[in-house]
Amino acid sequence: MEIKKPIKVPFYEPQKNLTDQIKHSSAKRSIGKTKFIRKKLKNYLLSSLAYNCPINKLRVKFHRMRGVNIGEGVMIGFRCTLDHAFPEYIYLEDYSALAGDVYIITHSNPYKHFQGKLLSYVAPVIIREGAWVGVNATILPGVEIGKHSVVGAGAVVTETVPEKVVVNGNPATIIKRFEEI
């Protein structure tokens, strides 16, 4: 599977009303207004179904239907939030696992007054084969979690994690290395 490249996106500008918001947002994505509305509603419905679904296979199916790239044998825990705006930038490789309440964010879209101070972008998040993300962890845009690595509970991961390590904290740092897995 080919990994999407990071892209710059326009800074957020609030619109006067819902009609203007739909017009502005669909133009940003270069799709028609009707298609934009359908895509948003589908994404919302499937994300809501997956959030509290008691069956992992269904949670995985709902997220795949949203556009999340998911390998074989993946486990997604209860109440995981996988980016609502750009789910297609998330990659969960074979036998990776997300514990409950994990948050994966693939975009940063600050208000326009932050232009020149912050970046507004979308970047892929990749959870490599056999990696495990602990409960209540947050993974930020552009992060890759290495093969067979562990992200500890409550960690905030701001940069790429090498393979066969355990990270924890805010920001996440390496606390252990595995010799063999």
Side-chain angles (χ1 to χ4, degrees), residues 7-12 107-111 118-122:
I7 58 170
K8 290 182 180 179
V9 293
F11 284 80
Y12 180 74
H107 73 288
S108 176
N109 193 215
Y111 276 90
L118 298 173
L119 298 175
S120 185
Y121 66 101
V122 179

Side-chain angles (χ1 to χ4, degrees), residues 9-17 20-25 28 109-115 120:
V9 293
F11 284 80
Y12 180 74
E13 294 182 72
Q15 301 301 308
K16 294 176 196 156
N17 56 50
D20 289 348
Q21 184 68 46
I22 292 168
K23 182 179 176 183
H24 179 76
S25 296
K28 252 187 355 184
N109 193 215
Y111 276 90
K112 193 168 183 144
H113 61 266
F114 286 111
Q115 195 165 2
S120 185

Side-chain angles (χ1 to χ4, degrees), residues 11 34 48 64 69 73-74 110 119 127 135 138 140 147 159 175:
F11 284 80
T34 303
S48 297
R64 276 189 181 128
N69 302 282
V74 170
L119 298 175
I127 311 298
V135 68
T138 300
L140 296 179
K147 186 176 178 177
E159 55 189 41
I175 60 172

Side-chain angles (χ1 to χ4, degrees), residues 7 10 27 32 54 78 81-82 91 108-109 157 169 179:
I7 58 170
F78 286 110
T81 301
L82 306 185
Y91 299 84
S108 176
N109 193 215
V157 186
E179 296 298 319

Side-chain angles (χ1 to χ4, degrees), residues 90-131:
I90 298 172
Y91 299 84
L92 305 175
E93 290 188 350
D94 295 348
Y95 305 101
S96 59
L98 307 177
D101 295 304
V102 168
Y103 213 108
I104 296 180
I105 306 165
T106 63
H107 73 288
S108 176
N109 193 215
Y111 276 90
K112 193 168 183 144
H113 61 266
F114 286 111
Q115 195 165 2
K117 297 169 187 70
L118 298 173
L119 298 175
S120 185
Y121 66 101
V122 179
V125 169
I126 307 161
I127 311 298
R128 292 289 182 196
E129 181 183 331

